[in-house]
Amino acid sequence: MSLHVYNTLSRTKEPFTPVHPGRVGMYVCGPTVYGHSHIGHAKSYVSFDLMVRYLRHQGLTVRYVQNITDVGHLTDDADAGEDKIARQARLEKTDPMQVVEEYTRSYFEDMDALNVLRPDISPRASGHIPEQIELTQKLIADGFAYERNGSVYFDVRKFEQYGKLSGRRIEDLLDAVRVDAIVEKQHPGDFALWKRAEPEHLMQWNSPWGKGYPGWHLECSVMSTKYLGQPFDIHGGGLENMFPHHECEIAQSEACCGTQFARYWLHNNMVTVDGQKMGKSLGNAIGLKAAMIGDHPLLSKAYSGAVIRYYIMKSHYRSVTDFSDQQLQAAEAGLNRLQTALCELRKRTKEANADSESVQAIATKKRAAFLEAMNDDFNTPVAISHLFDLTRSVNSALSKGALGGSAAAAVLALYEELAGDILGILSEDTQADSAGGADLADGLMRLVLELRASARERKDWGTADAVRDGLAACGVVVEDRPDGPVWKCTKEQA
């Protein structure tokens, strides 16, 4: 099965065919950097990171662009309210660009902890003001936009396909727009391309219409097409941005260029807390930094970035993920089971080859099933289930001593491909730490077992039994075999 993705634009699963063979251009709406990231943000950026990883795994060259919104995102989607960053600067009694720098650094720190690959390009809205002014001028010249009192608005009635992404009808927009936000507009659904700045507004630039700043929707159109061209392959973002943000991007971009803006629209669903969307403005956001140190009333402990990433991928990117501490605990337990199997495999690669044809056959079958699930619109829950089916078979073979040497190395490489390269839950640091920990544990256990064997040779059964019982209390079982003792962990180690 070739890769199929659910295209919001057509509301169907479609075969994925790049605009340019072998190359993929992908744009995802990045964060508005006025606060620290929370688990809701993680759902979006982990989901699209997974897609980038899988596309590259399939041999495609991906240019991944994810912007930083540092101006123009107002507190009200109807072009009213304060700029979110200017508002945060006022609250913190500092400069807007200081707010931007602080939270941009914080965002990338959090994404690094989640093993989210850095985008190829991370353009800032404030760095593309000339291009945004140029696009606005063209839309005015072509009759799609008009100026009022220093602000410029896009006339949605001039773009006949407005609403094709979200299904909204122009005649229904009046009910969705605040009355006090439409004074300057010819139609309540019109949206701002450029906003007049009051004298006290700290973020403003010269323009043909006076001092002002760009509209939020305009920024993404400019940054995506500048680095990916038009049309490009994939535009991603949260489902909550489908309207008005993505709808407006389509209108202004296609009105300007007369060609399709993006071919595939992929939207991740939200994270909820007790059925309510997680968000800063709702006061129920669980910050990523707080989650990783356990500093939140809803958390019983701290969770690693790998656990949070795995927790997110246990649900499909288009499904709602309902947050709970119990779900994070379950994710941690599952990830620990996987890590325990990997540690045991690493030990067994140093042993002689064992009769493991059946395990290798299962591994081949499960790899194919894993990739088939990923080809079905990146179905991570099903893919992960195949990974754990394989793990059960591997653990069974390991317990019987039927997996070792090059066969164990081959299965280990498969885990690193599926769980590491594609899912990203085994980062290089995690694998290195795990391998180093396995080597240390192996050395210590050899020493302990040699001391126990020496006690048994002396018929000091009391000492030998005490060593065995002490190891069992630590979750380590020792099996005495004709070719010597072997050990394995029975408890999931964090």
Side-chain angles (χ1 to χ4, degrees), residues 12 23 29 90 102 106 109 143 159 178 207 240 242 246 250 285 287 326 337 344 375 384 390:
T12 59
R23 295 190 288 126
C29 293
R90 177 172 55 79
E102 176 184 353
S106 174
E109 289 169 0
F159 185 71
R178 286 174 27 186
S207 80
E240 70 277 9
M242 181 170 59
H246 295 158
I250 290 174
Q326 292 75 18
R337 283 197 295 274
E344 190 68 17
N375 279 333
I384 288 170
L390 172 62

Side-chain angles (χ1 to χ4, degrees), residues 17 23 41 122 124 144 185 226 229 247 250 387 416 420 423 425 439 493:
T17 305
R23 295 190 288 126
H41 295 124
S122 297
R124 294 193 183 194
F144 287 101
K185 299 181 180 182
K226 179 179 178 67
E247 194 73 73
I250 290 174
L387 189 63
E416 290 172 345
L423 296 182
I425 52 177
D439 289 342
Q493 305 298 320

